[in-house]
Amino acid sequence: MTDDRPAGGTRVDLDTASAVIDLGALERNITRLREHLAPTPVMVVVKSDAYGHGMIQCARTARNAGAEWLGVATPIEAMRLREAGDTGPLLCWLYGPDTDLTAAIEADVDVTVHSAEHLAAVSAVAATLGHSARVQLGIDTGLSRNGAPEQDWPQLCLLAREAVDSGAITLTGIWSHLAVANDPEHPATLAQLEAFADALKVAADAGLPPVTRHLSNTDAALMLPAARYDLVRLGIACYGIHPGVGFAGTDLEAVMTVRARLAAVKPITAGDGVSYGHTWIADTDTVVGLVPIGYADGIPWQASNRAEVVVGGRRVPIRGRVCMDQFVVDLGPDATDTVGDDVIVFGTDRDGVTATDWAAACDTINYEIVTRIGPCLEHEYRDPPELEAVTTAADHGS
Ligand SMILES: *Cc1c(COP(=O)(O)O)cnc(C)c1O
């Protein structure tokens, strides 16, 4: 596989700031999760550029770590994986009414069908290609997002049965998605489990063959063993991020570290205001440092006066508003830090500040913190030890 990340797609040079992606940590996380969940097979979800970590590199690492399946949202993402050389089981589930599914069906991507219209479109492509389409059926059991509404499900199953019989499709799975997966006791979770079981009965009654059944994301896979069925779809945990409170799983290591180097260091005096709007005024003399990335690089504006970064091994607060391309931190009155010193914006538990800390400071979820970095900052990949020998600089693109 090769990287498809566009060269020159970021505005900051590598020395100034980057997202360091520890593929060894990714591999260890997936290995630990697979051991913890065995014998249930695992789909590693690499949508949205692997939650900002880099889809091609993460997909390759996931396969090496034994992931039986990969999952993405859109057929475009799926085709990027195929074009990069991935040939394994690969599911996509989100596309528009006029999306051309030809390439995905020809490349044996599993396409999720949520409606009779989807099924007709997929069957038509299959007929044109003379190539049976790999299809999974999606049922809405209570998320009210994608998936066939329960009242349409029996009819969809009958139509799918006809398409299987005619050879237009090969049915490979039936699946749904939970709304409150982080709460196994929640009435909505229990209702969805029941609705899924009912939907499987309807499918069997319609004469559909037994196929891979799946319902669980990270939270459900780890907290609700009854929902594991034949496959679990793991996203956030693979990237070493604990999905929510109450998570009692296996040890995970953060895969992404956002780092930068101080672009300026200077003393300021009590009474000086910092950054746009002077939303912070120094109450004592102190030393401030300038971090040369901002909201154009995926740093949330909401972090203004709220989040912290690590400089010289200690946590220091952001002062004033985050700007488009920079923000200011308070290094403290006795700071000896100098221009060029390293800043960990967020990273592993060991670093002392994580994406989860940033999410709490910014009133958002850790998923968003890492994902928004993806298209913005240059990625530096650290290979797992056993891969170092076989990957080349060319695999890493820019
Ligand atoms: C994103 C996604 C997942 C992965 O969810 P995590 O909480 O990151 O494990 C699983 N299934 C579907 C349908 C998704 O959209």
Coordinates of all heavy atoms in Angstrom, one line a residue, residues 57-116:
Q57 N -2.0 4.0 6.1 CA -1.1 3.4 7.1 C -1.8 2.7 8.2 O -1.3 1.6 8.6 CB -0.2 4.6 7.7 CG 0.8 5.2 6.8 CD 0.1 6.3 5.9 OE1 -1.1 6.5 5.9 NE2 0.9 6.9 5.1
C58 N -2.9 3.2 8.7 CA -3.6 2.5 9.8 C -4.2 1.3 9.3 O -4.3 0.2 10.0 CB -4.6 3.5 10.4 SG -3.8 4.8 11.3
A59 N -4.8 1.3 8.0 CA -5.4 0.1 7.5 C -4.3 -1.0 7.3 O -4.6 -2.2 7.7 CB -6.0 0.4 6.1
R60 N -3.2 -0.7 6.8 CA -2.1 -1.7 6.6 C -1.7 -2.3 8.0 O -1.6 -3.5 8.1 CB -0.9 -1.0 5.9 CG 0.2 -2.0 5.7 CD 1.4 -1.2 5.1 NE 1.8 -0.1 5.9 CZ 2.4 1.0 5.4 NH1 2.8 1.0 4.1 NH2 2.8 2.0 6.2
T61 N -1.6 -1.4 9.0 CA -1.2 -1.9 10.3 C -2.3 -2.8 10.9 O -2.0 -3.8 11.5 CB -0.9 -0.6 11.2 OG1 0.1 0.2 10.6 CG2 -0.5 -1.1 12.6
A62 N -3.5 -2.4 10.7 CA -4.7 -3.2 11.2 C -4.7 -4.6 10.6 O -4.8 -5.6 11.3 CB -6.0 -2.5 10.9
R63 N -4.5 -4.7 9.3 CA -4.4 -6.0 8.7 C -3.2 -6.8 9.3 O -3.4 -8.0 9.6 CB -4.2 -5.9 7.2 CG -5.4 -5.2 6.4 CD -6.6 -6.1 6.3 NE -7.6 -5.6 5.4 CZ -8.8 -5.9 5.3 NH1 -9.4 -6.8 6.2 NH2 -9.6 -5.4 4.4
N64 N -2.1 -6.1 9.5 CA -0.9 -6.8 10.0 C -1.2 -7.3 11.4 O -0.7 -8.3 11.9 CB 0.3 -5.9 10.0 CG 0.9 -5.9 8.7 OD1 0.9 -6.8 7.9 ND2 1.5 -4.7 8.4
A65 N -2.1 -6.6 12.2 CA -2.4 -6.9 13.5 C -3.5 -8.0 13.6 O -4.0 -8.4 14.6 CB -2.8 -5.7 14.3
G66 N -4.0 -8.4 12.4 CA -5.0 -9.5 12.3 C -6.4 -9.1 12.2 O -7.3 -9.9 12.3
A67 N -6.7 -7.8 11.9 CA -8.1 -7.4 11.7 C -8.7 -8.2 10.6 O -8.2 -8.1 9.5 CB -8.1 -5.9 11.4
E68 N -9.8 -8.8 10.9 CA -10.4 -9.6 9.8 C -11.2 -8.8 8.8 O -11.3 -9.1 7.7 CB -11.5 -10.6 10.5 CG -10.8 -11.8 11.2 CD -10.4 -11.5 12.7 OE1 -10.5 -10.3 13.1 OE2 -10.0 -12.4 13.4
W69 N -11.7 -7.6 9.3 CA -12.4 -6.7 8.5 C -11.9 -5.3 8.6 O -11.3 -4.9 9.7 CB -13.9 -6.6 8.9 CG -14.7 -7.8 8.4 CD1 -14.8 -9.0 9.1 CD2 -15.6 -7.8 7.3 NE1 -15.7 -9.8 8.4 CE2 -16.2 -9.1 7.3 CE3 -15.9 -6.9 6.3 CZ2 -17.1 -9.5 6.3 CZ3 -16.8 -7.3 5.3 CH2 -17.4 -8.6 5.3
L70 N -12.1 -4.4 7.6 CA -11.9 -3.0 7.7 C -13.3 -2.4 7.5 O -14.1 -2.9 6.6 CB -10.9 -2.4 6.8 CG -9.5 -2.9 7.0 CD1 -8.6 -2.2 5.9 CD2 -9.0 -2.5 8.4
G71 N -13.6 -1.2 8.1 CA -14.8 -0.5 7.9 C -14.6 0.9 7.6 O -13.7 1.5 8.2
V72 N -15.3 1.5 6.6 CA -15.3 2.9 6.3 C -16.7 3.4 6.1 O -17.6 2.5 5.9 CB -14.5 3.2 5.0 CG1 -13.0 2.9 5.2 CG2 -15.0 2.3 3.8
A73 N -16.9 4.7 6.1 CA -18.3 5.2 5.8 C -18.6 5.1 4.3 O -19.6 4.5 3.9 CB -18.4 6.6 6.3
T74 N -17.8 5.7 3.5 CA -18.2 5.9 2.1 C -17.5 5.0 1.1 O -16.3 4.5 1.3 CB -17.9 7.4 1.7 OG1 -16.5 7.6 1.6 CG2 -18.5 8.4 2.7
P75 N -18.1 4.8 -0.1 CA -17.5 4.1 -1.2 C -16.2 4.7 -1.6 O -15.2 4.0 -2.1 CB -18.5 4.1 -2.3 CG -19.8 4.3 -1.6 CD -19.5 5.2 -0.4
I76 N -16.1 6.0 -1.5 CA -14.8 6.7 -1.9 C -13.7 6.3 -1.0 O -12.6 6.0 -1.5 CB -15.0 8.2 -1.9 CG1 -15.9 8.6 -3.1 CG2 -13.7 9.0 -2.0 CD1 -16.2 10.1 -3.2
E77 N -13.9 6.3 0.3 CA -12.9 5.8 1.2 C -12.5 4.3 0.9 O -11.3 4.0 0.9 CB -13.4 5.9 2.7 CG -13.7 7.3 3.1 CD -14.3 7.4 4.5 OE1 -15.4 6.7 4.7 OE2 -13.8 8.2 5.3
A78 N -13.5 3.5 0.6 CA -13.3 2.1 0.3 C -12.4 2.0 -0.9 O -11.5 1.2 -0.9 CB -14.6 1.4 0.1
M79 N -12.7 2.8 -1.9 CA -11.9 2.7 -3.2 C -10.4 3.2 -3.0 O -9.5 2.7 -3.6 CB -12.6 3.4 -4.3 CG -13.8 2.6 -4.8 SD -13.5 0.9 -5.1 CE -12.3 0.9 -6.4
R80 N -10.3 4.1 -2.1 CA -8.9 4.5 -1.7 C -8.1 3.4 -1.2 O -6.9 3.2 -1.5 CB -8.9 5.7 -0.8 CG -9.3 7.0 -1.4 CD -8.8 8.2 -0.7 NE -9.4 9.4 -1.4 CZ -10.3 10.2 -0.9 NH1 -10.6 10.1 0.4 NH2 -10.8 11.2 -1.6
L81 N -8.8 2.6 -0.3 CA -8.1 1.4 0.3 C -7.8 0.4 -0.8 O -6.7 -0.2 -0.9 CB -9.0 0.8 1.4 CG -9.0 1.6 2.7 CD1 -10.1 1.1 3.6 CD2 -7.6 1.6 3.4
R82 N -8.7 0.1 -1.7 CA -8.5 -0.8 -2.8 C -7.4 -0.4 -3.7 O -6.5 -1.1 -4.0 CB -9.8 -1.0 -3.6 CG -10.9 -1.8 -2.9 CD -10.4 -3.3 -2.6 NE -11.5 -4.1 -2.2 CZ -11.6 -4.8 -1.0 NH1 -10.6 -4.6 -0.1 NH2 -12.5 -5.6 -0.7
E83 N -7.4 0.9 -4.0 CA -6.3 1.5 -4.9 C -5.0 1.4 -4.2 O -4.0 1.3 -4.9 CB -6.7 2.9 -5.3 CG -7.7 2.9 -6.5 CD -8.6 4.2 -6.5 OE1 -8.1 5.2 -5.9 OE2 -9.7 4.1 -7.2
A84 N -5.0 1.4 -2.9 CA -3.7 1.3 -2.2 C -3.3 -0.1 -2.0 O -2.3 -0.4 -1.3 CB -3.8 2.0 -0.8
G85 N -4.1 -1.0 -2.5 CA -3.6 -2.4 -2.5 C -4.3 -3.3 -1.5 O -4.0 -4.5 -1.4
D86 N -5.3 -2.8 -0.7 CA -6.0 -3.6 0.3 C -7.0 -4.5 -0.5 O -7.7 -4.1 -1.3 CB -6.7 -2.8 1.3 CG -7.3 -3.6 2.4 OD1 -6.6 -4.0 3.3 OD2 -8.5 -4.0 2.3
T87 N -7.0 -5.8 -0.1 CA -7.8 -6.8 -0.8 C -8.8 -7.5 0.1 O -9.5 -8.4 -0.3 CB -7.0 -7.8 -1.6 OG1 -6.1 -8.4 -0.6 CG2 -6.1 -7.2 -2.7
G88 N -8.7 -7.2 1.4 CA -9.5 -8.0 2.4 C -10.9 -7.6 2.5 O -11.4 -6.6 1.9
P89 N -11.7 -8.3 3.4 CA -13.1 -7.9 3.6 C -13.2 -6.4 4.1 O -12.4 -6.0 5.0 CB -13.5 -8.8 4.7 CG -12.7 -10.0 4.5 CD -11.3 -9.5 4.1
L90 N -14.1 -5.7 3.4 CA -14.1 -4.2 3.6 C -15.6 -3.8 3.4 O -16.2 -4.0 2.4 CB -13.2 -3.6 2.5 CG -13.2 -2.1 2.3 CD1 -12.9 -1.3 3.6 CD2 -12.3 -1.7 1.2
L91 N -16.1 -3.1 4.5 CA -17.5 -2.7 4.5 C -17.6 -1.2 4.4 O -16.9 -0.5 5.1 CB -18.2 -3.2 5.8 CG -19.7 -2.8 6.0 CD1 -20.6 -3.5 5.0 CD2 -20.1 -3.1 7.4
C92 N -18.6 -0.7 3.6 CA -19.0 0.7 3.6 C -20.5 0.8 3.8 O -21.2 -0.1 3.6 CB -18.5 1.5 2.3 SG -19.4 1.0 0.9
W93 N -20.9 2.0 4.3 CA -22.3 2.1 4.7 C -23.0 3.4 4.5 O -24.1 3.6 4.9 CB -22.5 1.7 6.2 CG -21.5 2.5 7.2 CD1 -21.6 3.8 7.6 CD2 -20.4 1.9 7.9 NE1 -20.6 4.1 8.4 CE2 -19.9 3.0 8.7 CE3 -19.8 0.7 7.9 CZ2 -18.7 2.8 9.5 CZ3 -18.7 0.5 8.7 CH2 -18.2 1.6 9.5
L94 N -22.3 4.4 3.8 CA -23.0 5.7 3.7 C -22.7 6.2 2.3 O -21.5 6.4 1.9 CB -22.4 6.6 4.7 CG -23.0 8.0 4.8 CD1 -24.5 7.9 5.3 CD2 -22.3 8.9 5.8
Y95 N -23.8 6.5 1.5 CA -23.6 7.1 0.2 C -24.9 7.8 -0.2 O -26.0 7.6 0.4 CB -23.2 6.0 -0.8 CG -24.1 4.7 -0.8 CD1 -25.2 4.5 -1.6 CD2 -23.7 3.7 0.1 CE1 -25.9 3.4 -1.5 CE2 -24.5 2.5 0.2 CZ -25.6 2.4 -0.6 OH -26.4 1.3 -0.5
G96 N -24.8 8.6 -1.2 CA -26.0 9.4 -1.7 C -26.8 8.6 -2.7 O -26.4 7.6 -3.2
P97 N -27.9 9.2 -3.1 CA -28.8 8.6 -4.0 C -28.2 8.4 -5.4 O -28.6 7.4 -6.1 CB -30.1 9.5 -4.1 CG -29.6 10.8 -3.5 CD -28.5 10.5 -2.6
D98 N -27.3 9.3 -5.8 CA -26.7 9.2 -7.1 C -25.2 8.7 -7.1 O -24.5 8.8 -8.1 CB -26.8 10.5 -7.8 CG -28.3 10.9 -8.1 OD1 -29.0 9.9 -8.4 OD2 -28.6 12.0 -7.9
T99 N -24.8 8.2 -5.9 CA -23.4 7.7 -5.8 C -23.2 6.5 -6.8 O -24.1 5.6 -6.8 CB -23.1 7.2 -4.4 OG1 -23.3 8.3 -3.5 CG2 -21.7 6.7 -4.3
D100 N -22.2 6.6 -7.6 CA -21.9 5.5 -8.5 C -21.2 4.4 -7.7 O -20.0 4.6 -7.3 CB -21.0 6.0 -9.6 CG -20.8 4.9 -10.7 OD1 -21.2 3.8 -10.5 OD2 -20.1 5.2 -11.7
L101 N -21.8 3.3 -7.6 CA -21.3 2.2 -6.8 C -20.5 1.2 -7.6 O -20.0 0.1 -7.1 CB -22.4 1.4 -6.0 CG -23.1 2.3 -5.0 CD1 -24.4 1.6 -4.5 CD2 -22.2 2.6 -3.8
T102 N -20.4 1.4 -8.9 CA -19.8 0.5 -9.8 C -18.4 0.0 -9.4 O -18.1 -1.2 -9.3 CB -19.7 1.1 -11.3 OG1 -20.9 1.6 -11.6 CG2 -19.2 0.0 -12.3
A103 N -17.5 1.0 -9.1 CA -16.1 0.6 -8.8 C -16.1 -0.2 -7.5 O -15.4 -1.2 -7.4 CB -15.3 1.9 -8.6
A104 N -16.9 0.2 -6.5 CA -16.9 -0.5 -5.2 C -17.4 -2.0 -5.4 O -16.8 -2.9 -4.8 CB -17.7 0.2 -4.2
I105 N -18.4 -2.1 -6.2 CA -19.0 -3.5 -6.4 C -18.0 -4.3 -7.2 O -17.8 -5.5 -6.8 CB -20.4 -3.4 -7.1 CG1 -21.4 -2.8 -6.1 CG2 -20.8 -4.7 -7.6 CD1 -22.7 -2.4 -6.7
E106 N -17.4 -3.8 -8.2 CA -16.4 -4.5 -9.0 C -15.2 -4.9 -8.1 O -14.6 -6.0 -8.3 CB -16.0 -3.6 -10.2 CG -15.3 -4.4 -11.3 CD -15.2 -3.6 -12.5 OE1 -15.2 -2.3 -12.4 OE2 -15.1 -4.2 -13.6
A107 N -14.9 -4.1 -7.1 CA -13.7 -4.3 -6.3 C -14.1 -5.2 -5.1 O -13.3 -5.3 -4.1 CB -13.1 -3.0 -5.9
D108 N -15.3 -5.7 -5.1 CA -15.7 -6.6 -4.0 C -15.7 -5.9 -2.6 O -15.4 -6.5 -1.6 CB -14.9 -7.9 -3.9 CG -15.3 -8.9 -5.0 OD1 -16.5 -8.9 -5.3 OD2 -14.5 -9.6 -5.5
V109 N -16.1 -4.6 -2.6 CA -16.3 -3.9 -1.4 C -17.7 -4.3 -0.9 O -18.7 -4.4 -1.8 CB -16.3 -2.4 -1.6 CG1 -16.7 -1.7 -0.3 CG2 -14.9 -2.0 -2.0
D110 N -17.9 -4.6 0.3 CA -19.3 -4.9 0.8 C -20.0 -3.6 1.0 O -19.6 -2.7 1.7 CB -19.2 -5.6 2.2 CG -18.8 -7.0 2.1 OD1 -17.7 -7.3 1.4 OD2 -19.4 -7.9 2.7
V111 N -21.2 -3.5 0.3 CA -22.0 -2.3 0.3 C -23.2 -2.5 1.2 O -23.9 -3.5 1.0 CB -22.4 -1.9 -1.1 CG1 -23.3 -0.7 -1.1 CG2 -21.2 -1.6 -2.0
T112 N -23.4 -1.6 2.2 CA -24.6 -1.8 3.0 C -25.8 -1.2 2.3 O -25.8 -0.1 1.8 CB -24.4 -1.0 4.3 OG1 -23.2 -1.5 5.0 CG2 -25.6 -1.3 5.3
V113 N -26.8 -2.0 2.3 CA -28.1 -1.6 1.7 C -29.1 -1.4 2.8 O -29.3 -2.2 3.6 CB -28.6 -2.8 0.7 CG1 -30.0 -2.7 0.5 CG2 -27.8 -2.7 -0.6
H114 N -29.7 -0.2 2.8 CA -30.7 0.2 3.8 C -32.1 0.3 3.3 O -33.0 0.6 4.1 CB -30.3 1.6 4.4 CG -28.9 1.7 4.8 ND1 -28.4 1.2 6.0 CD2 -27.8 2.4 4.3 CE1 -27.1 1.5 6.1 NE2 -26.7 2.2 5.1
S115 N -32.3 0.1 2.0 CA -33.6 0.4 1.5 C -33.8 -0.4 0.2 O -32.8 -0.9 -0.5 CB -33.8 1.9 1.1 OG -33.0 2.2 0.1
A116 N -35.1 -0.5 -0.3 CA -35.4 -1.2 -1.5 C -34.7 -0.4 -2.7 O -34.3 -1.1 -3.7 CB -36.9 -1.3 -1.7

